C-alpha cells in the first residue's frame, strides 16, 4: 500500500486529497497518472484520511486476499473521512444486484470507476471537491515533466507500455476488469522514458499485462520518435529504450514477458548489455495438460527447450517466474512434472500461489477441484524446491564483482547500505546487503551505482563489499 505525501505545498487554501494505492505495478502507474492530474490542477495530497477533503482508493481485485484488503481500506477511509472515491480493478467487479461489489459493501462511497480511468476519477473529484482553475499554480511539483508524478523512489520507475490482455486464461479475471490489449503509441512511450531518464531515473521497469504482445492490436504499425520511424513492436521498443538507457548510464528491466518465439530476438540485446539480462516470465505451470486447462498461450510445452536456448544465447540471464500449485484437476504426476521443470530450467527467482477460486474465473467450473489443504501442501513443496535452486544459483555469485544500484545508504555508505544487482527487481526479488567499504574515502548515496565484491549469501540475498 502506498500512502502518498505531497511533494511540496502549493497553497494553504488548496483542497487536500488523501490517496491510497493498492495492488500491482500496473495499478501503481494508474495512481501516478491520477496524482499527476491532481497536482496539475492545484490539489494537494494529505498524509492522513482525516486531514483530507476527500480520499481516493485505487483498489486491487485479482485474488480474494486483495479484495478483502481493498474493501477494508475503503471502510477505514469512510470511517475516518466519509468522502471516498474508489477506482481500480475492484471497482470493475460486479455485485449481486447489478451494481458494483464496492457499492454493495460500502454504499456510501461517492463514486466507483474501473482501472485506467483518470478522467472519470477527476470528474468525481471535481463534483465533490471543486478546485477553480488557476494558470499560475496549476503546475506539477515534484514530477518528471511529461512523465508526471511517480510513487516510486526517484531512482527507479515503472513504464507501462500497454493496457489490458487478449488472453482468456481460465484462472484470471483481469481481462474482465482491464479489457483487451491496447498498446500505447510507441512515440508516447519513448517520450515518457526520455523524461524519466532526464529526471534522474536509473532503472526503468517495463510493465504491461503482456509485454511480448506489444503492438499486436495495431498490427505493429509504424510510429515516430525523434523524427525517425519506429515499429510498435517489442523488439524495436526495447532497442530504442536500450539506446536511451546507455546514454544516461541507466538500466532497462523487462517484466511480464510471455515466452513467445519472438522473445528470442531480445536475447542478443541482453548479451550485448543494451538491456538487463533479466526476464520476468509468467509461466504458471509446466505440464502440457495443465497449461491446456489454464488456456495458456505461447506453446508452453516448449518452455524448457526455449529457456535452455536463452541460457545458451545469454549465459548470465536471470529468469523470474510465478506458478500456481493445486490448479483444478492437477494430479500428483503433473505436480511432480512442475518440480522437475523448476530444477531443469534452473529458475532463478520463483513465486508460487496455491490456486485461488477467484469469483468469475472459469477455472472454478473445471472438474477435479483440489482440496485447499493439498493446494497449500503443494505450494510449500514447490517453494522448498524453488529455494533450493535459487540458493544454489546465488552461491555461484560469491567471488563475483557486480554493479549494484543503491536503494539505501547509511552515513553516505560508510556504515553500509542496501542495493540491487541486475538479478534483483525491486520489492519482489532479493537485495545486496552492502558492508562498509574497504576504502575509507568511498561514499555513495541512494541512486548511485557501485561495484561490489560478493562475499556471501544471506537467505535470498547477497552480501557485498563496495570496491
Amino acid at each position: 500500500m502506498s500512502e502518498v505525501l505531497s511533494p511540496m505545498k502549493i497553497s494553504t487554501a488548496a483542497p487536500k486529497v488523501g490517496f491510497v494505492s493498492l495492488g500491482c505495478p500496473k495499478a501503481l502507474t494508474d495512481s501516478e497518472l491520477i496524482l499527476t492530474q491532481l497536482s496539475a490542477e492545484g490539489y494537494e495530497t494529505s498524509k492522513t484520511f482525516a486531514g483530507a477533503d476527500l480520499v481516493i482508493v485505487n483498489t486491487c481485485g485479482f485474488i480474494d486476499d486483495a479484495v478483502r484488503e481493498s474493501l477494508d481500506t475503503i471502510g477505514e477511509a469512510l470511517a475516518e473521512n466519509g468522502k471516498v472515491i474508489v477506482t481500480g480493478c475492484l471497482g470493475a467487479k460486479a455485485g449481486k444486484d447489478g451494481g458494483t461489489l464496492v457499492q454493495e459493501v460500502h454504499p456510501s462511497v461517492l463514486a466507483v470507476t474501473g482501472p485506467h480511468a483518470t478522467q472519470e476519477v477527476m470528474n468525481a473529484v471535481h463534483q465533490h471537491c471543486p478546485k477553480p482553475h488557476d494558470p499560475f499554480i496549476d503546475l506539477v511539483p515534484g514530477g518528471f515533466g511529461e512523465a508526471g508524478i511517480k510513487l516510486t523512489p526517484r531512482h527507479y520507475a515503472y513504464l507501462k507500455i500497454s493496457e489490458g490482455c487478449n488472453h482468456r486464461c481460465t484462472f484470471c479475471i483481469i481481462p474482465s476488469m482491464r479489457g483487451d490489449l491496447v498498446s500505447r503509441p510507441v512515440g508516447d512511450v519513448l517520450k515518457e522514458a526520455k523524461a524519466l531518464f532526464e529526471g534522474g531515473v536509473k532503472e526503468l521497469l517495463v510493465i504491461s499485462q503482456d509485454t511480448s504482445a506489444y503492438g499486436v492490436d495495431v498490427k505493429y504499425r509504424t510510429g515516430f520518435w525523434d523524427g525517425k520511424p519506429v515499429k510498435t513492436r517489442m523488439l524495436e521498443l526495447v532497442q530504442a529504450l536500450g539506446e536511451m538507457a546507455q546514454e544516461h548510464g541507466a538500466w532497462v528491466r523487462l517484466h511480464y514477458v510471455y515466452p513467445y518465439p519472438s522473445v528470442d530476438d531480445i536475447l542478443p540485446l541482453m548479451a550485448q548489455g543494451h538491456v538487463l539480462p533479466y526476464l520476468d516470465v509468467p509461466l504458471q505451470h509446466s505440464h502440457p495438460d495443465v497449461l491446456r486447462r489454464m488456456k495458456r498461450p505461447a506453446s508452453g510445452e516448449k518452455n524448457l527447450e526455449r529457456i535452455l536456448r536463452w541460457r545458451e544465447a545469454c549465459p548470465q540471464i536471470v529468469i523470474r517466474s510465478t506458478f500456481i500449485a493445486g490448479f483444478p484437476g492437477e494430479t500428483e504426476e503433473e505436480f511432480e512434472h512442475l518440480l522437475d521443470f523448476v530444477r531443469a530450467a534452473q529458475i532463478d527467482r520463483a513465486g508460487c500461489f496455491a490456486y485461488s477460486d477467484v469469483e468469475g474465473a472459469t477455472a472454478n467450473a473445471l472438474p477435479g477441484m483440489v482440496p485447499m489443504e493439498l493446494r497449500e501442501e503443494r505450494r510449500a513443496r514447490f517453494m522448498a524446491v524453488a529455494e533450493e535452486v535459487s540458493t544454489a544459483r546465488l552461491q555461484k555469485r560469491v567471488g563475483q564483482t557486480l554493479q549494484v544500484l543503491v536503494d539505501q545508504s547509511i552515513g553516505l555508505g560508510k556504515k553500509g547500505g542496501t542495493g540491487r544487482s541486475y538479478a534483483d527487481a525491486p520489492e519482489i526479488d532479493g537485495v545486496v546487503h552492502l558492508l562498509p567499504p574497504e576504502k575509507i574515502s568511498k561514499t555513495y548515496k541512494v541512486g548511485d551505482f557501485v561495484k561490489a565484491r560478493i562475499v556471501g549469501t544471506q537467505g535470498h540475498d547477497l552480501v557485498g563489499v563496495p570496491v
Side-chain angles (χ1 to χ4, degrees), residues 30 47 49 78 86 110 123 147 165 195 225 233 235 245 280 287 299 302 318-319 329 372-373 378 392 449 460 463:
D30 287 352
K47 294 180 180 179
F49 292 154
L78 284 169
V86 177
L110 301 177
N123 290 343
C165 181
W225 164 247
R233 190 168 61 177
L235 175 60
D280 172 19
H287 197 283
S299 302
K302 298 179 181 177
V318 164
I319 297 173
M372 180 55 76
E373 185 178 337
R378 287 179 177 173
F449 283 110
H460 294 285
V463 179

Side-chain angles (χ1 to χ4, degrees), residues 60-74:
C60 178
F62 184 44
I63 59 175
D64 292 343
D65 286 348
V67 170
R68 280 192 291 272
E69 181 186 21
S70 293
L71 291 174
D72 288 349
T73 303
I74 294 166

Side-chain angles (χ1 to χ4, degrees), residues 115-133:
H116 202 55
T118 302
Q119 192 53 56
E120 292 176 60
V121 172
M122 293 307 302
N123 290 343
V125 171
H126 296 153
Q127 180 180 349
H128 297 285
C129 187
K131 170 68 175 69
H133 174 75

Side-chain angles (χ1 to χ4, degrees), residues 179-246:
D180 288 337
L181 176 72
V182 178
S183 299
R184 289 181 63 192
V186 68
D188 289 355
V189 174
L190 293 172
K191 185 187 298 182
E192 181 177 347
K194 181 181 180 183
L196 291 168
F197 285 135
E198 290 182 346
V201 164
K202 294 298 182 184
E203 179 182 12
L204 202 60
L205 301 107
V206 177
I207 60 169
S208 67
Q209 241 71 50
D210 181 356
T211 297
S212 308
Y214 178 66
V216 166
D217 55 314
V218 294
K219 299 180 180 178
Y220 307 120
R221 71 177 170 219
T222 299
F224 287 89
W225 164 247
D226 201 21
K228 301 173 185 175
V230 183
K231 268 192 175 182
T232 308
R233 190 168 61 177
M234 183 176 70
L235 175 60
E236 284 79 3
L237 175 64
V238 172
Q239 285 173 330
L241 289 173
E243 291 172 5
M244 205 182 297
Q246 285 191 314

